[in-house]
C-alpha cells in the first residue's frame, strides 16, 4: 500500500505536458460491500498549460499529502453509542470495530456509510463519533482553502435529499421497502389481501423485516422469504405469550430461534413447538418452507384454531405431522394424501371432521396414525390394508362406520383401536387390541397414551391411572383370557373381574 500511495503522489506531481498523459490525482474507497479496505486510483482530468505560461517544474521540497482524518476532534458531547450494533455487507459493525480500523482513509470512507438502526437512518459517524474521530458538534466553522484547485468547485446543494441512496442494499430506503414487499407478495402460497390489513400477522411480519430487523436483509437475499415466514409463525401463533421464544425477532439468524432447526445450508427443516402455549392459526405460508421434514405443534397447552393449511401438501420431504390436542376444525386437506414420505400423521383430539380418503392407501410410508377424538365420519377406508409399514392405528371416539378389513389385521399392528366395543359397536374389528368404549369406563374417561412425568411419579407403578388401566387390559388380553372378546361384554365374569382388579383391588 505504501508503494501504491507513493506512485500516486509521484504521478500526480509530474508536470502536465499534454492532455494525452493520464494523471491520477485522487484516492477513492471501493464501494463494493465485500471489498472494504481496498483502495482504487481515480484519474483526474488534466488541464493544458496556457500558451505563453512559464513551465512549472516539480518542487524539490517535501510534498505534504492531504490529511485523510477529520479536521476536528470530537467535543465532549460527542460520545459513541456503545449499544450500537448493525451489519453492513458481511461485516458485523460496532463502535469498537470502527475504532480498530487503523487506515484513516478506510475509516473516513466507512464512517460516511448510512445505515438504519433504532428507527433512524443516519451515517455511522453519527452513531460512533469518537471512533470515527468526527466532531458531531463543531464549535469552529471549517475554513475554505483560497488556493486554486485542479477540479471545478461543485455546485452547492441547497438541501440534502431525504431519501438518498446509500451502501445499504445500494438503494434508497423507499426502494428497499418496495422491493422487499414485492418479493414477499410473490410467495405463491400467500394471499396478497392479508397484507392490506396493517394488523394482520402477515403485515406485522413484513413491517418487522423492513423496519425493525437488525440484519437489514436486502431484496433478493436467499433467506429473506424464510426469515419473513419465521417471523410470521411468531405473529400468527401468538408468540408474545409463548412459554419459550428464545432469540425470536432478534438479529440472530432464524435458524437459532427457539423451535426451529435448519439444514447445513441454512434451510428450516423442522418446526417444534410442543406444549408452548400456541394460539391463533397455522399460516399457509408454512408451505413455502420446502425443506421441512417435520411439523410438531401438539400439546395440552397449545390451542391452535382454524384449518390445516392445504399448502402443507407441497412439502414433499415431510415425514412428521404432529398437531394433536389443539382446536383445529375442517377436514384433512386432499393434498396431504399425496405426501409420499410421511411416516407420522398425528391429529388426535381436535375438532376435525369429514371422511378419511381412500387415497390414504397411497401413503405407504406411514408408520403411525392417530385420528382418535375427532368427529370424522364415513366408512373406514378399505385401502388401509395397503399400508404394510403401519404399526399404530387409532381411530376410536369418532363416527366412523364399516369394518377394519382383514388386510389390516394381517399386517400385525402393535396398536389398533376403534369404536368396536359396547352393545352397538360402530365399527367391526376382529383384531383390534382395544375396542371403545371400554366396559368399566364412562365415555368421558377414554384412555390416553400420554401423561405428564409429575402425574406418573405420584402414583403406584410410576404411571397415571389411565396408563395403568390400558397396560393391565393389554396384558390380560394377550396373556390371560382365552377369548379376549369376553372383555367387551360388561356383564361377563371376565370384564367384571378385570374392573375389580383395576378399580377396587386394595392392593393397588
Amino acid at each position: 500500500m505504501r508503494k501504491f500511495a507513493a506512485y500516486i503522489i509521484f504521478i500526480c506531481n509530474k508536470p502536465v505536458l499534454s492532455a494525452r498523459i493520464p494523471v491520477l490525482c485522487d484516492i477513492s474507497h471501493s464501494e463494493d460491500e465485500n471489498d472494504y479496505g481496498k483502495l482504487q486510483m481515480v484519474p483526474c482530468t488534466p488541464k493544458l498549460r496556457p500558451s505563453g505560461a512559464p513551465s512549472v517544474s516539480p518542487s524539490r521540497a517535501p510534498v505534504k499529502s492531504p490529511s485523510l482524518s477529520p479536521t476536528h476532534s470530537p467535543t465532549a458531547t460527542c460520545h459513541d453509542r456503545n449499544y450500537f450494533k448493525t451489519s453492513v455487507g458481511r461485516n458485523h459493525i460496532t463502535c469498537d470495530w470502527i475504532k480498530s480500523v487503523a487506515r484513516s482513509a478506510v475509516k473516513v470512507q466507512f464512517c460516511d456509510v448510512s445505515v438504519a438502526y433504532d428507527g433512524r437512518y443516519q451515517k455511522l459517524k453519527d452513531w460512533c463519533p469518537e471512533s470515527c474521530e468526527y466532531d458531531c458538534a463543531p464549535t469552529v466553522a471549517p475554513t475554505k482553502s483560497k488556493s486554486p484547485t485542479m477540479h471545478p468547485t461543485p455546485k452547492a446543494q441547497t438541501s440534502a435529499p431525504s431519501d438518498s441512496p446509500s451502501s445499504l442494499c445500494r438503494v434508497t430506503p423507499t426502494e428497499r421497502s418496495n422491493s422487499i414487499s414485492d418479493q414477499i407478495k410473490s410467495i405463491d402460497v400467500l394471499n396478497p389481501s392479508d397484507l392490506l390489513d396493517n394488523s394482520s400477522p402477515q403485515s406485522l411480519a413484513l413491517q418487522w423485516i423492513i423496519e425493525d430487523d437488525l440484519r437489514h436483509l436486502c431484496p433478493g437475499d436467499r433467506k429473506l422469504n424464510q426469515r419473513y415466514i419465521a417471523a410470521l409463525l411468531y405473529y400468527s401463533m401468538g408468540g408474545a405469550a409463548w412459554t419459550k421464544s428464545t432469540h425470536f425477532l432478534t438479529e440472530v439468524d432464524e435458524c437459532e430461534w427457539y423451535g426451529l432447526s435448519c439444514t447445513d445450508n441454512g434451510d428450516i427443516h423442522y418446526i417444534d413447538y410442543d406444549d408452548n402455549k400456541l394460539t391463533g392459526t397455522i399460516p399457509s405460508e408454512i408451505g413455502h418452507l420446502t425443506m421441512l421434514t417435520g411439523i410438531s405443534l401438539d400439546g395440552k397447552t397449545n390451542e391452535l384454531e382454524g384449518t390445516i393449511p392445504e399448502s402443507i401438501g407441497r412439502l414433499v420431504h415431510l415425514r412428521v405431522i404432529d398437531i394433536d390436542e389443539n382446536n383445529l376444525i375442517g377436514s384433512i386437506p386432499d393434498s396431504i394424501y399425496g405426501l409420499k414420505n410421511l411416516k407420522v400423521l398425528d391429529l388426535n383430539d381436535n375438532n376435525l371432521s369429514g371422511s378419511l380418503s381412500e387415497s390414504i392407501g397411497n401413503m405407504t410410508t406411514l408408520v403411525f396414525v392417530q385420528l382418535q377424538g375427532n368427529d370424522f365420519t364415513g366408512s373406514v377406508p378399505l385401502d388401509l390394508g395397503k399400508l404394510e409399514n403401519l404399526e399404530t392405528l387409532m381411530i376410536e371416539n369418532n363416527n366412523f362406520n364399516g369394518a377394519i378389513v382383514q388386510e389390516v389385521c394381517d399386517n400385525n399392528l402393535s396398536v389398533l383401536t376403534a369404536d368396536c366395543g359396547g352393545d352397538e359397536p360402530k365399527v367391526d374389528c376382529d383384531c383390534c387390541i382395544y375396542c371403545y368404549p371400554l366396559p368399566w369406563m364412562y365415555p368421558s374417561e377414554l384412555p390416553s397414551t400420554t401423561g405428564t412425568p409429575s402425574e406418573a411419579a405420584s402414583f403406584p407403578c410410576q404411571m397415571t391411572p389411565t396408563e395403568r388401566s390400558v397396560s393391565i387390559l393389554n396384558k390380560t388380553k394377550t396373556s390371560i383370557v382365552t377369548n379376549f372378546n369376553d372383555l367387551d361384554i360388561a356383564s361377563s365374569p371376565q370384564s367384571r373381574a378385570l374392573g375389580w382388579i383395576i378399580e377396587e383391588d386394595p392392593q393397588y
Side-chain angles (χ1 to χ4, degrees), residues 229-343:
I229 295 171
L232 178 56
L233 293 175
Y234 179 90
Y235 286 112
S236 186
M237 299 193 297
W242 288 355
T243 303
K244 293 182 180 180
S245 58
T246 308
H247 295 317
F248 254 88
L249 305 188
T250 69
E251 72 277 9
V252 174
D253 189 285
E254 65 275 8
C255 291
E256 298 181 36
W257 292 2
Y258 175 76
L260 301 181
S261 301
C262 290
T263 65
D264 292 339
N265 292 328
D267 299 311
I268 295 175
H269 78 94
Y270 208 100
I271 298 173
D272 185 358
Y273 296 126
D274 285 0
D275 283 312
N276 204 40
K277 293 187 177 179
L278 307 185
T279 58
T281 60
I282 305 170
S284 63
E285 289 82 354
I286 197 173
H288 191 74
L289 301 177
T290 56
M291 298 307 294
L292 269 184
T293 60
I295 301 172
S296 190
L297 308 174
D298 71 328
K300 293 182 178 179
T301 66
N302 292 344
E303 298 181 358
L304 290 173
E305 301 176 338
T307 60
I308 301 171
E310 182 82 28
S311 62
I312 288 181
R314 297 161 45 98
L315 305 175
V316 296
H317 301 291
L318 204 59
R319 296 198 296 267
V320 175
I321 297 178
D322 186 6
I323 323 178
D324 61 279
E325 297 189 89
N326 281 278
N327 298 312
L328 299 177
I329 60 173
S331 60
I332 298 176
D334 290 339
S335 62
I336 285 182
Y337 296 112
L339 295 174
K340 303 298 185 182
N341 294 302
L342 197 68
K343 293 186 176 182

Side-chain angles (χ1 to χ4, degrees), residues 4-15 24:
F4 174 66
Y7 173 74
I8 296 173
I9 295 171
F10 175 73
I11 294 297
C12 290
N13 282 279
K14 277 191 174 183
L24 303 174

Side-chain angles (χ1 to χ4, degrees), residues 269-483:
H269 78 94
Y270 208 100
I271 298 173
D272 185 358
Y273 296 126
D274 285 0
D275 283 312
N276 204 40
K277 293 187 177 179
L278 307 185
T279 58
T281 60
I282 305 170
S284 63
E285 289 82 354
I286 197 173
H288 191 74
L289 301 177
T290 56
M291 298 307 294
L292 269 184
T293 60
I295 301 172
S296 190
L297 308 174
D298 71 328
K300 293 182 178 179
T301 66
N302 292 344
E303 298 181 358
L304 290 173
E305 301 176 338
T307 60
I308 301 171
E310 182 82 28
S311 62
I312 288 181
R314 297 161 45 98
L315 305 175
V316 296
H317 301 291
L318 204 59
R319 296 198 296 267
V320 175
I321 297 178
D322 186 6
I323 323 178
D324 61 279
E325 297 189 89
N326 281 278
N327 298 312
L328 299 177
I329 60 173
S331 60
I332 298 176
D334 290 339
S335 62
I336 285 182
Y337 296 112
L339 295 174
K340 303 298 185 182
N341 294 302
L342 197 68
K343 293 186 176 182
V344 174
L345 182 61
D346 191 359
L347 300 173
N348 62 281
D349 296 304
N350 279 283
N351 299 308
L352 297 171
S353 58
S355 60
L356 192 59
S357 172
E358 288 287 349
S359 297
I360 195 171
N362 298 327
M363 306 173 72
T364 55
T365 56
L366 278 174
V367 175
F368 186 93
V369 176
Q370 283 194 170
L371 301 176
Q372 74 272 20
N374 283 286
D375 194 25
F376 289 115
T377 57
S379 300
V380 178
L382 300 177
D383 282 351
L384 284 173
K386 295 180 180 179
L387 306 182
E388 296 180 356
N389 294 305
L390 196 61
E391 297 177 2
T392 296
L393 176 62
M394 302 179 72
I395 60 172
E396 75 276 4
N397 196 21
N398 280 289
N399 290 305
F400 287 120
N401 56 56
I404 303 291
V405 296
Q406 185 60 41
E407 287 81 359
V408 174
C409 297
D410 293 342
N411 289 333
N412 296 318
L413 278 64
S414 58
V415 177
L416 177 58
T417 60
D419 293 320
C420 49
D423 296 333
E424 297 181 2
K426 299 177 184 177
V427 175
D428 293 329
C429 182
D430 295 331
C431 56
C432 285
I433 296 176
Y434 310 131
C435 280
Y436 289 77
L438 297 177
W440 70 89
M441 288 186 171
Y442 294 104
S444 60
E445 296 178 340
L446 295 173
S448 169
T449 58
T450 61
T452 63
S454 59
E455 289 177 332
S458 62
F459 293 103
C461 308
Q462 296 298 304
M463 60 180 68
T464 66
T466 299
E467 290 172 333
R468 174 178 174 272
S469 298
V470 173
S471 181
I472 291 176
L473 173 61
N474 186 36
K475 180 70 173 179
T476 303
K477 278 191 172 185
T478 57
S479 305
I480 301 176
V481 298
T482 303
N483 183 2

Side-chain angles (χ1 to χ4, degrees), residues 16-22 46 48:
V16 180
L17 301 178
S18 168
R20 297 178 181 176
I21 300 177
L48 295 179

Side-chain angles (χ1 to χ4, degrees), residues 44 72 101 110 134 178 191-192 268 331:
C44 61
H72 296 285
V101 178
F110 198 84
Y134 169 62
N178 291 340
N191 184 355
I268 295 175
S331 60

